[in-house]
Amino acid sequence: MPKELAVSVDKMMEIQATAYSQSCSIEIVGDIINRQQYDGIANSYSPNYAIRPCTMFPSCFLIDPDNPNETGTFNSQLDSFKWSEVSTSGIVVVATSEKASVVSGYEATTEGLNKGTLFIKSNSVINKPRTMRFEGNWTDPISGYKYTFIANKPLYLEDTTNARAEIMLDSAPAVLWNPLKHASTRTITAKVMVGAIDKSADAKARIWWYRILDNGTRQLISSVDDSENYEITAMTKAANGQITSITVNCDMIGDGIGYEVRACYIYEGSVPSSPRTGDPKKVTYIKRTIPPLTPQFVGDGFGLNSDTAFVTCRAIVSDNKGVIDPSVWNKIIRAKWQKVSYGKVVNNGVVTMTENVMVLGYGETFQCPFEAKKSIRLTIEDRGAYELIVDENGNTLVDENGNYLVSREIDENS
């Protein structure tokens, strides 16, 4: 065996630890960005994370200062990580490497090259900003040094709500109602529109209906049983109790009537009990109008002998659309028969023609007494609209059941 002459000092062979530099940044994966728009009227988000989540990837890098070459992400080697939601309510852990989801609406990838990826499946809330915080850890087995990766990414929410209400009224500003041709019942419907959304039945909507009186004042309409509602026969109310339509008996509007509709929609805050100055309004006026008529009459002989006692005449009423059935016009208008005698007056050599008119009777047909050299004239008279009957003090009269007493200026039997 060889004889040892000298022995050196022992030296330990060790792996030299590397002092890495580190970085971490959160990237948005895909086209669903971290900025949303919210429409409170449609209650919609764009983009909607509940349908397509916002995906965040925390890119973690360890960089060797002695190796300037580009290195890949370090996510797959992380020992642990956690995601937290930071808001005015505090910091809440939403996902961890041990549990992909801690809070509903969040989910994370816990293995592989995409380790740490967060899927945000819950939409943001107005006036409650939130930021997503990532924290990852890795301990160098050689040096025992613990590297921590931290990054933050805010989520933005823009309120694009346009809460300006508009009224849609299915009645023109001016409506000409012809009692000879049009149905007596007319329904007027209002809608409260906010954008393209009908909010008429929403609890945040209010609708006010007013009758416009002859002196220009407004009279609130609240129920079909209101004592003033002699012309309103029915109304429809939405689930929120607001009147959305009224049905009017046009025979009871006199010469005309007006209605004003006011509305509002309060996106946030309390709903007012009465309309405000800036709230929208729509007005419709219904006017009773009988267009020009053409009266004609036919008779059994106007060139008869002196023994003729009567001439039977029948009235024919027409407008620009043709002859009107007498069963219709008899209720609205009446035929008046007159005898006309012509004469002349001479005054200082000036001759003036005169006529004397005498009423003979009324009705679609009439037996006119025959009288030579006398003319028969047919005149059409409006019976007038139905009106409330009042006493000498202007008080409205009612029957024993409390119903209003109404009458035309000329009774149908006249």
Side-chain angles (χ1 to χ4, degrees):
M1 181 176 182
K3 182 179 180 181
E4 295 179 348
L5 299 177
V7 178
S8 68
V9 177
D10 293 345
K11 288 185 177 180
M12 181 72 68
M13 291 186 296
E14 296 179 326
I15 298 175
Q16 182 66 42
T18 301
Y20 294 103
S21 61
Q22 66 189 83
S23 69
C24 182
S25 63
I26 299 176
E27 302 172 359
I28 301 297
V29 180
D31 57 358
I32 305 300
I33 62 175
N34 60 322
R35 184 180 295 275
Q36 293 179 285
Q37 292 184 332
Y38 175 67
D39 185 340
I41 304 303
N43 191 28
S44 63
Y45 290 85
S46 179
N48 188 339
Y49 294 164
I51 299 175
R52 295 183 63 192
C54 176
T55 304
M56 293 184 175
F57 178 67
S59 298
C60 300
F61 293 94
L62 283 181
I63 303 171
D64 185 346
D66 296 326
N67 183 6
N69 295 325
E70 182 178 350
T71 58
T73 57
F74 199 75
N75 291 57
S76 62
Q77 300 183 53
L78 292 175
D79 295 330
S80 65
F81 71 81
K82 68 178 179 180
W83 281 95
S84 301
E85 178 191 88
V86 182
S87 69
T88 54
S89 300
I91 301 175
V92 178
V93 176
V94 297
T96 67
S97 53
E98 292 77 28
K99 190 174 182 181
S101 177
V102 175
V103 172
S104 176
Y106 296 93
E107 189 175 344
T109 301
T110 59
E111 300 291 341
L113 295 176
N114 296 324
K115 187 176 183 177
T117 300
L118 180 68
F119 302 94
I120 303 169
K121 301 179 179 180
S122 63
N123 295 308
S124 297
V125 178
I126 292 295
N127 297 323
K128 186 179 179 182
R130 59 176 174 167
T131 295
M132 303 315 301
R133 175 174 296 173
F134 174 80
E135 297 176 63
N137 299 290
W138 178 72
T139 300
D140 189 339
I142 297 175
S143 66
Y145 182 78
K146 182 178 182 179
Y147 290 87
T148 300
F149 303 87
I150 299 177
N152 297 281
K153 194 76 168 181
L155 293 169
Y156 301 99
L157 180 61
E158 179 184 3
D159 188 354
T160 59
T161 303
N162 178 10
R164 171 67 179 174
E166 297 293 340
I167 301 174
M168 290 184 63
L169 198 64
D170 67 346
S171 183
V175 177
L176 299 180
W177 178 67
N178 179 359
L180 292 172
K181 290 296 182 71
H182 300 156
S184 60
T185 299
R186 185 178 187 87
T187 298
I188 304 172
T189 301
K191 289 183 179 180
V192 180
M193 303 298 295
V194 182
I197 308 298
D198 183 355
K199 290 293 183 179
S200 305
D202 197 290
K204 298 178 181 179
R206 286 292 181 273
I207 307 173
W208 296 272
W209 292 75
Y210 296 92
R211 181 185 294 103
I212 304 175
L213 303 181
D214 291 340
N215 60 7
T217 60
R218 271 63 171 161
Q219 188 177 68
L220 182 65
I221 301 169
S222 58
S223 169
V224 74
D225 297 323
D226 289 349
S227 59
E228 301 87 355
N229 290 347
Y230 55 89
E231 89 286 7
I232 297 177
T233 60
M235 63 177 54
T236 301
K237 291 188 177 183
N240 58 359
Q242 302 303 296
I243 301 172
T244 54
S245 73
I246 61 172
T247 299
V248 179
N249 181 357
C250 295
D251 270 328
M252 298 298 174
I253 65 172
D255 292 328
I257 198 167
Y259 298 101
E260 178 179 293
V261 183
R262 302 289 301 273
C264 74
Y265 178 82
I266 306 300
Y267 173 52
E268 291 183 326
S270 301
V271 180
S273 58
S274 59
R276 303 160 301 178
T277 302
D279 287 332
K281 70 177 180 179
K282 283 289 180 68
V283 174
T284 183
Y285 288 91
I286 305 174
K287 181 175 177 57
R288 182 181 185 271
T289 303
I290 298 179
L293 300 174
T294 301
Q296 296 176 312
F297 66 91
V298 293
D300 294 332
F302 283 85
L304 303 179
N305 56 47
S306 59
D307 295 332
T308 302
F310 293 93
V311 176
T312 301
C313 299
R314 180 169 61 89
I316 300 174
V317 180
S318 60
D319 59 11
N320 59 358
K321 294 184 179 181
V323 175
I324 303 173
D325 192 291
S327 64
V328 174
W329 63 254
N330 259 321
K331 299 177 182 178
I332 311 299
I333 58 180
R334 71 173 178 177
K336 179 171 70 175
W337 301 94
Q338 299 162 299
K339 181 176 73 174
V340 184
S341 302
Y342 298 99
K344 63 181 178 180
V345 176
V346 180
N347 187 6
N348 295 326
V350 178
V351 179
T352 302
M353 300 303 297
T354 64
E355 67 175 41
N356 180 51
V357 180
M358 182 178 68
V359 176
L360 298 175
Y362 302 89
E364 177 199 351
T365 59
F366 190 75
Q367 293 285 336
C368 295
F370 179 80
E371 190 174 351
K373 305 300 183 182
K374 305 298 180 183
S375 296
I376 302 299
R377 176 178 295 171
L378 168 63
T379 300
I380 301 300
E381 294 183 330
D382 185 1
R383 294 185 182 276
Y386 282 109
E387 295 182 347
L388 297 178
I389 300 177
V390 298
D391 60 18
E392 63 275 7
N393 297 318
N395 299 315
T396 304
L397 299 181
V398 297
D399 60 19
E400 62 274 12
N401 297 319
N403 299 315
Y404 286 107
L405 296 179
V406 296
S407 176
R408 294 189 189 275
E409 182 180 349
I410 301 174
D411 188 84
E412 294 180 24
N413 296 320
S414 300

